[in-house]
Amino acid sequence: MSDLTRMTATEIAALVAGGETSAVEVTRAHLDRIAAVDDRVHAFLHVDTDGALDAARAVDARRAAGEELGPLAGVPVAVKDVLATRGVPTTVGSKILEGWRPPYDATIVQRLRDAGTVMLGKTNMDEFAMGSSTEYSAYGPTHNPWDLSRIPGGSGGGSAAALAAYEAPLAIGSDTGGSIRQPGAVTGTVGAKPTYGGTSRYGLVAFSSSLDTPGPCARTVLDAALLHQVIGGHDPRDSTSIPQPVPDVVAAAKLGATGDLTGVRLGIVSEFVGEGTEPGVMTAFRESVDALAKLGAEIVEVSCPTFAYALPAYYLIAPSECSSNLARFDGVRFGLRVGDDGNRSLEEVMSLTREAGFGPEVKRRIMLGTYALSSGYYDAYYGQAQKVRTLITRDFTAAFERVDALISPTTPFTAFPIGARTADPYQMYLADLFTIPTNLYGGPGISVPCGLSEGLPVGLQVMAPTMADDRMYRVAAALESAVGTFTPPAL
Amino acid sequence: MTTTLPAYDEVVARYEPVIGLETHVELGTNTKMWCGCPTDFGGEPNTRVCPVCLGLPGSLPVANKAAIEAIIRIGLALNCSIAQWCRFARKNYFYPDMPKNFQISQYDEPICVDGYLDVEVGGETVRIEIERVHLEEDTGKTLHVGGATGRIHGATESLVDYNRAGIPLVEIVTKPVVGTGALAPDVAKAYVAELRDVIRTLGVSDVRMEEGSLRCDVNTSLNLPGQEWGTRTETKNVNSLRSVERAVRSEMLRQASVLEAGGRITQETRHFHEDTGDTTPGRSKETATDYRYFPEPDLVPVAPDPAWVAELKAALPELPRVHRRRLQQQWGLSDLDMQSVLNAGAVELIEATVAAGTTPAAARKWWLGELSRRANESGVELADIGATPAQVAELQGLVDAGKLNDKMARTVLEGVVDGEGSPTEIMTSRGLEVVSDTGALTAAVDEAIAANPGIADKIRSGKVAAAGALVGAVMKTTRGQADAKTVRELILERLGVQG
């Protein structure tokens, strides 16, 4: 049998279902690959060897018993460490949760288990999903498999790198401002942010509640769609979950793979193809646009002037919500507790715990958000940002009256060297310039590999109206059929 | 420092009080506000908890529809407008009994606004304006161990029980109540009592102040006539109706003494002490805490369907005030008599006693007489006196059946209040039954006649009134357990005299 780790999830599932390989064999192959390369990549914070093999055995037993298996049964999945996993360490990339083993599973994790997928472990991330390079993980950076001296994007760099390094065929990420799509773009993998409310946030350790969206990561569009189908759908435990069925993203991906986009109108966001985007990224993007046109798509330019205000609005809304969401990390009930020597007051212990437990970027955002929500500043900052959010939503709505989907480069630049942007937060924030508007609007977005620039992957982003996730899968799969997938150099 | 408090009459002659009440009511829903944990009172610490009410990372709240329904019904009963669209908000502050270090509450978009509640005080109707009624979650309970005061400062360790965390809590806030003068303490008490009755009638909470399912904070200030309102204090820990009245009165007296001495009132929280009837200072509110309210992003807005609200409104039960008017008619009471029933907190007790088969007059006699006296003596609410309407009805049944006379019934009632058992049990255990066995009575009568031949002769000669002395003698030998009327008839019969 050829290398199981090089296969797509679709291929693996077929082999397992057909009895040509076992889930245990597939799992062992991936665990071996992790053992071989992860000391260099550092995609994983925790590898759950026993749990993975147990889950694989259960799938094999079900198959042996003649039970019908789901479309992803026996396929390994790497899960971003932002999701609560029962009995399995969940740190959110932070020291403040070091050693915490949740007593419950996130809804998505439960759905993955129910579907017979095999969770390999938990992937590295910027602390509390705040960052665009995974350098802000309290447990050290993840390295981009395309060039180990470069960042794999963030915050979900671990999940993206695990895919690019063939440590897992599928991964789960979460996208608050681009944390699935931007790592996808810079690692040459596919990352989809579903419609907000289309995937359950229950068990997702919150960064910014009104923006956080868990979603699928894979090496192909169809694999991402299959994973999306498994994890998506209404969850009564999440009040903001949309009580509607998941759009048929799998059928859409299959339709797109036929390479026909006749009758599809695509809008290039004018504001995102100007200065500030690397020339190599622009070249790959332009070539992809030509490819899409050849597939029959009608291409127009659409101006969304308010998108220019997305970044500042985001950096008020997300920190504001985070300042409140992260208040619960106080050392009282779980996780790290510092300074409880019997002589210090509760307040001192809380302060010392938070001082020691949170990293610099998290503290920066808590401070920002606390300020923005303060009495007397609320209207000028948080209130104003919410108004901008409404305007951005209007721009999207207006655009989608003209086109079926919007397209842009996923991120202005390819993977940068580790350490290159940590000194200036603003330079780091720019990585999410093109992905943030979608989060503020709540619609779906996907990044699909569209070419290389100086040997590094470039991603194209497709944005669709809310609950029209299927549309972006169709376009992404069509592009994939035209430009193919991209394989990093051997590690 | 000891200060001599001025006389209450002088205070109200000089100052005008302004009061305001914030009342918290724990709803009696089966499950908590955001999760499926049970809400029953008590339970081993931290056994009625889950990831949601413990605020574990990743957990999310989902609003309890039964709680939304309950608060809308409360709002409707308080004549409020019901918002067609409103949101929850986060109130951010650090405290260990708050699992998330923010409380999900409502801020500038409460679900019910602009209502009123009419209460009767001293025969007058006072309209208390309701500013807002909103929904929030309760906190856990903290036990501070090792400190002198039981407060967090000075404690060596703190234990937290999260069983209560997340129980739905309704906050009802009045507008400032002005112009009640000397009656301010009574108005405050009457308002809380009326509110309690309304909520109990709705069946959405057991509103038990002693268990904390109804909690009240009282704002009080004084001003000179024609002047701006004074600085207010907020008195917490007011755990009974009586305390509401006492807290307002005590705070009025305290503030007056400060003002009289040329001092100024500090804006602060004060704690009421049931034992002394005083308030002591708590947290200063001079520097306002910034709670950094913002709309709760984890919850979708609440948008009650107007048709549903109309349905709830149509289905409201008869509210206490209307109900009382009906009872007053049924019981044939004057306004004054009804007022004394109300003042005693006896409406429901009498109603239940009547429902158990007693006449309104008899039921009222017991609750307003003997039982009210006992309640006043022991300083408890009449409803908590220890006698139930069923027991009172049973007692009256024994009287009506001639088994107890009035005096004995009072003795039995004492026993009931003291927890000795049911009236019938106490009658037996204390050997209090009326001697109706004619054989034994006849023997006692004969004995009395034989012992008092002179009186017996007088009666025989027609001086029937003299029979009283013999009745007394018989009552003495039967230790009061005979029916005086029966004894009298028997004496006359034995002496061959017509009554």
Side-chain angles (χ1 to χ4, degrees), chain A residues 84 97 100 103-104 196 201-206 209-210 236-240 320-321 324-325 327-330 332-334 346 350 354 370 373-375 378 382, chain B residues 50-52 54-63 90 92 94-96 98-102 152-153 156 158 160 162 290 292-300:
Chain A
L97 270 187
W100 185 55
Y104 76 106
Y196 178 83
R201 289 187 298 118
Y202 187 77
L204 174 85
V205 180
S209 308
S210 74
R237 286 178 181 275
D238 175 358
S239 169
T240 60
S320 293
E321 291 181 4
S324 173
N325 282 331
R328 74 189 64 191
F329 300 94
D330 59 6
V332 173
R333 283 150 295 120
F334 46 77
L346 178 79
M350 279 185 178
R354 290 168 69 82
T370 304
L373 287 178
S374 295
S375 167
Y378 179 93
Y382 188 79
Chain B
C50 73
V52 176
L54 283 178
L56 292 190
S59 65
L60 293 173
V62 176
R90 289 190 187 175
N92 294 286
F94 281 83
Y95 203 77
M98 286 232 309
K100 302 180 291 290
N101 283 325
F102 60 78
I152 191 163
H153 295 292
T156 53
S158 298
V160 196
Y162 294 105
D290 186 354
R292 303 192 310 281
Y293 281 101
F294 73 106
E296 166 57 273
D298 282 331
L299 289 164
V300 290

Side-chain angles (χ1 to χ4, degrees), chain B residues 71-90:
Chain B
I71 191 172
I72 291 175
R73 293 179 67 227
I74 291 173
L76 290 169
L78 298 177
N79 308 291
C80 290
S81 316
I82 309 301
Q84 297 199 1
W85 190 91
C86 68
R87 287 182 292 188
F88 288 100
R90 289 190 187 175

Side-chain angles (χ1 to χ4, degrees), chain B residues 164-204:
Chain B
R164 200 181 66 178
I167 288 184
L169 206 54
V170 166
E171 182 173 330
I172 301 149
V173 183
T174 68
K175 289 184 179 162
V177 181
V178 297
T180 55
L183 285 176
D186 301 297
V187 169
K189 179 185 176 183
Y191 164 76
V192 179
E194 185 70 17
L195 185 63
R196 181 196 62 182
D197 291 350
V198 166
I199 290 169
R200 188 184 289 147
T201 302
L202 295 172
V204 295

